[in-house]
């Protein structure tokens, strides 16, 4: 695996809060590190996790004699199947802790779940589940399934919005969604092979649960004379590993599941996760269709000022050539009062955001890119950030998201004498200009949606006000603007 480039430039953190016990790693410790101080650059690996995409059109000549390369090939060209299976995993938000009220009680299209429910595991406790409920049939996809209690997961939002978008493209796309997440689990416990402290507990390993779902779905599809394919994996995760990092005890580096590689950080883990799902699925189904992994960018840390997880997620997105895809951040969604768990409306809305990325990738055969910076430059006191904007123009929106100050932008000066931000403005359909009170004397970092300052409900997360103008129609009446990702970009 790649050397530790992402972690090398990300900040250190304070101790984890006891208010988040359901998500904490098994071994937790405290650290008194300065949460605003970036970790030192590894002199052997100075590459920064912020990897700008070319701002110039493909084919443009570059000063070094090269040219801007063409975009990477899309993951695959769409081939229709009768049943299109999506596997879902993650921790508490994947199984919809606090996902109330239940909203999706009827199926408007032909989307499916197993007769045992969206979740096949049962007899679940704080760490895992001890029983796999073998399905005997497909039934219409609705909500109200239980992990701890009946909830609205993001499954119906994902499937129904995808079908709606497919029909607009002239594509009929019946989805089967099954969920095998586990509340409070780290990557180590969710991945293939699971964590080493489980064997005596009799838990159904989450990854194995997912592979059983594939075998059972294939069996039921064949019995019904239907063609079947696994299209994707969705992941709602990051909390547990965030707490481990913020406590100064990350699980990384860890041995890879292949017995040869080493995972240096959470970004490496996401790449491994996708590879293991794709390999496992293809061994069972015989399909050559790839299995990309979609995830939301983690927005809801609620214990320390900032987190490494969002930037490692973006690192995996940038390195994966479309195999690992960030759907977008989630600071705009409604949360329960712990600033940690989505409500039922938040789950359904999140599912529709997953559907946009899924539809672009699977139905249209194009790479999904969230609203993210592709180039950040400075001239004196003027910092200019150019963005990839899915649906221009850019907008500062203080109605839907409370302004944390400067629309969520922050400047960090590596000299420690950080000048204040004097002004933030949109100067083009894809460009934001930040004017500092004085010109920095050294390099710095432009940050966005970087700092969490306290929990008082869904409008106080680490957040920002920058969005695009996406008018994609929603199945459930939600606004589906794309909001700018959390970022921490170096600026010379």
């Amino acid at each position: 695996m790649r050397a530790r480039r992402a972690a090398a430039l990300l900040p250190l953190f304070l101790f984890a809060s006891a208010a988040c016990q359901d998500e904490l790693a098994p071994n937790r410790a405290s650290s008194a590190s300065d949460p605003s101080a970036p970790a030192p650059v590894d002199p052997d690996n100075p590459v920064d996790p912020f990897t700008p995409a070319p701002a110039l059109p493909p084919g443009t000549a570059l000063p070094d004699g090269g040219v801007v390369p063409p975009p990477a090939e899309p993951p695959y060209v769409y081939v229709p199947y009768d049943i299109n299976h999506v596997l879902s995993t993650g921790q508490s938000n994947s199984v919809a802790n606090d996902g109330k009220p239940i909203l999706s009680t009827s199926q408007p299209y032909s989307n499916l779940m197993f007769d045992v429910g969206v979740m096949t595991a049962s007899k679940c406790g704080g760490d895992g589940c001890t029983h796999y409920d073998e399905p005997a049939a497909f039934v219409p996809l609705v909500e109200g399934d239980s992990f701890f209690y009946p909830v609205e997961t993001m499954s119906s939002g994902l499937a129904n919005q995808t079908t709606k978008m497919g029909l607009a493209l002239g594509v009929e796309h019946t989805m089967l969604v099954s969920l095998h997440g586990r509340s409070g689990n780290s990557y180590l416990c969710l991945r293939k092979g699971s964590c080493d402290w489980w064997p005596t507990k009799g838990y159904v390993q989450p990854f194995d649960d997912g592979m059983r779902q594939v075998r059972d779905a294939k069996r039921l599809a064949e019995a019904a004379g239907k063609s079947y394919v696994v299209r994707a994996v969705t992941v709602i995760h990051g909390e547990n590993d965030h707490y481990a990092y913020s406590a100064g005890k990350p699980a990384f580096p860890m041995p890879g599941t292949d017995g040869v590689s080493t995972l240096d950080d959470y970004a490496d883990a996401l790449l491994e996760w996708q590879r293991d799902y794709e390999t496992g699925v293809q061994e069972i189904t015989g399909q050559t269709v790839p299995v990309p992994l979609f995830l939301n960018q983690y927005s809801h840390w609620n214990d320390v000022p900032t987190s490494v997880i969002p930037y490692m997620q973006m690192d995996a997105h940038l390195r994966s050539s479309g195999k690992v895809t960030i759907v977008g951040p989630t600071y705009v969604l409604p949360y329960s009062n712990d600033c940690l768990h989505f409500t039922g409306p938040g789950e359904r809305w999140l599912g529709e955001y997953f559907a946009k990325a899924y539809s672009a990738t699977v139905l249209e055969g194009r790479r999904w890119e969230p609203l993210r910076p592709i180039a950040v430059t400075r001239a004196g006191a003027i910092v200019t950030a150019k963005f990839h904007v899915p649906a221009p123009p850019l907008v500062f929106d203080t109605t839907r998201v409370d302004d944390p100050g400067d629309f969520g932008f922050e400047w960090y000066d590596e000299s420690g004498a950080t000048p204040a931000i004097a002004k933030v403005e949109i100067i083009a359909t894809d460009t934001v200009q930040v004017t500092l009170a004085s010109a920095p004397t050294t390099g710095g970092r432009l940050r966005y949606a970087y700092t969490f300052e306290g929990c008082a409900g869904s409008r106080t997360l680490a957040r920002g006000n920058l969005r695009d103008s996406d008018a994609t129609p929603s199945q459930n009446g939600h606004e589906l603007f794309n909001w700018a990702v959390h970022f921490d970009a170096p600026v010379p």
Side-chain angles (χ1 to χ4, degrees):
M1 298 296 294
R2 172 198 71 124
R4 216 182 191 19
R5 72 179 174 109
L9 288 166
L10 295 168
L12 304 175
F13 304 96
L14 297 176
F15 60 89
S17 166
C20 310
Q21 293 291 333
D22 73 311
E23 298 291 345
L24 291 177
N27 296 310
R28 188 168 72 246
S30 65
S31 168
S33 302
D34 178 0
S36 66
V41 176
D42 178 353
D44 297 322
N45 257 302
V47 183
D48 196 272
F50 177 76
T51 307
L56 300 173
T60 302
L62 297 173
D64 63 2
V67 297
V68 176
E73 290 296 317
Y76 51 84
V77 176
Y78 182 73
V79 176
Y81 285 79
D82 296 326
I83 297 176
N84 302 273
H85 193 177
V86 173
L87 302 168
S88 296
T89 190
Q91 52 188 113
S92 63
N93 277 311
S94 77
V95 297
N97 287 13
D98 279 355
K100 299 174 288 186
I102 299 165
L103 303 170
S104 304
T105 57
S106 63
Q107 176 48 237
Y109 300 111
S110 58
N111 295 312
L112 303 169
M113 66 180 185
F114 291 125
D115 58 343
V116 297
V118 173
M119 307 179 206
T120 51
S122 61
K123 300 179 181 177
C124 301
D127 293 323
C129 304
T130 58
H131 192 262
Y132 177 81
D133 299 328
E134 183 175 327
F138 298 131
V139 298
L141 172 60
V142 294
E143 298 297 323
D145 203 2
S146 296
F147 188 88
F148 296 127
Y149 44 80
V151 291
E152 175 93 12
T153 71
M154 72 92 168
S155 306
S156 292
L158 163 64
N160 296 337
Q161 179 67 23
T162 297
T163 300
K164 180 183 180 68
M165 296 179 74
L167 291 173
L169 296 168
V171 176
E172 293 187 9
H173 193 77
T174 295
M175 291 181 69
L176 166 69
V177 184
S178 65
L179 173 57
H180 56 277
R182 299 291 190 271
S183 182
N185 276 218
S186 67
Y187 171 72
L188 176 64
C189 293
L190 291 170
R191 72 171 182 166
K192 180 180 179 181
S194 201
C195 45
D196 57 9
W197 53 275
W198 271 16
T200 61
K201 296 181 176 292
Y203 291 145
V204 177
Q205 294 185 7
F207 186 89
D208 290 350
D209 190 351
M211 294 301 104
R212 289 187 191 185
Q213 292 173 348
V214 175
R215 292 187 186 93
D216 284 330
K218 182 174 183 289
R219 168 178 57 83
L220 295 173
E222 289 175 346
K226 302 288 187 181
S227 59
Y228 167 81
V229 69
V230 177
R231 292 288 190 183
V233 177
T234 66
V235 170
I236 307 175
H237 191 257
E239 297 90 341
N240 189 297
D241 288 276
H242 157 76
Y243 296 125
Y245 270 109
S246 68
K249 285 195 172 184
F252 305 95
M254 70 171 68
T257 56
D258 59 8
V260 177
S261 62
T262 297
L263 309 184
D264 288 321
D265 56 26
Y266 187 76
D268 284 348
L270 294 174
L271 299 176
E272 176 185 74
W273 221 354
Q274 187 277 326
R275 285 194 299 270
D276 282 346
Y277 270 106
E278 183 170 89
T279 299
V281 164
Q282 291 179 341
E283 287 176 352
I284 295 169
T285 66
Q287 69 187 64
T288 58
V289 174
V291 183
L293 185 148
F294 297 92
L295 71 154
N296 61 289
Q297 191 188 31
Y298 176 52
S299 296
H300 42 274
W301 62 94
N302 65 358
D303 58 325
V304 291
T306 190
S307 173
V308 297
I309 296 298
Y311 315 111
M312 291 183 181
Q313 289 174 326
M314 181 54 68
D315 186 30
H317 173 98
L318 292 169
R319 291 165 52 200
S320 74
S321 299
K323 290 284 193 174
V324 174
T325 297
I326 284 184
V327 169
T330 57
Y331 52 78
V332 70
L333 301 181
Y335 286 80
S336 58
N337 287 333
D338 63 4
C339 298
L340 180 64
H341 295 108
F342 304 116
T343 62
E347 289 279 348
R348 187 171 68 172
W349 194 353
L350 176 59
E352 294 195 346
Y353 274 110
F354 271 92
K356 287 206 307 176
Y358 176 96
S359 298
T361 304
V362 174
L363 303 186
E364 300 180 57
R366 61 182 175 86
R367 291 273 298 277
W368 172 260
E369 287 286 348
L371 175 53
R372 68 174 183 89
I374 57 175
V376 182
T377 58
R378 180 176 67 86
I382 306 297
V383 181
T384 303
K386 184 179 179 66
F387 288 80
H388 168 81
V389 186
L394 290 173
V395 175
F396 283 138
D397 188 334
T398 58
T399 300
R400 294 164 179 82
V401 175
D402 288 349
D403 185 359
D406 297 317
F407 303 119
F409 286 87
E410 299 177 36
W411 176 259
Y412 174 79
D413 193 314
E414 293 174 356
S415 70
T418 301
I421 292 177
K423 182 169 58 174
V424 181
E425 56 190 330
I426 295 170
I427 61 169
T429 60
D430 63 352
T431 305
V432 172
Q433 183 172 283
V434 177
T435 303
L436 304 176
S438 60
T441 57
T442 62
R445 305 184 76 86
L446 183 66
R447 294 167 169 172
Y448 173 83
Y450 185 83
T451 303
F452 167 80
E453 295 179 342
C455 177
S458 64
R459 299 175 75 87
T460 58
L461 302 166
R463 65 199 186 278
N465 303 98
L466 185 65
R467 65 164 172 85
D468 72 357
S469 300
D470 194 337
T472 298
S474 160
Q475 172 69 23
N476 297 294
H478 299 126
E479 295 172 318
L480 296 177
F481 303 121
N482 299 296
W483 295 80
V485 299
H486 305 265
F487 66 85
D488 178 22
V491 186

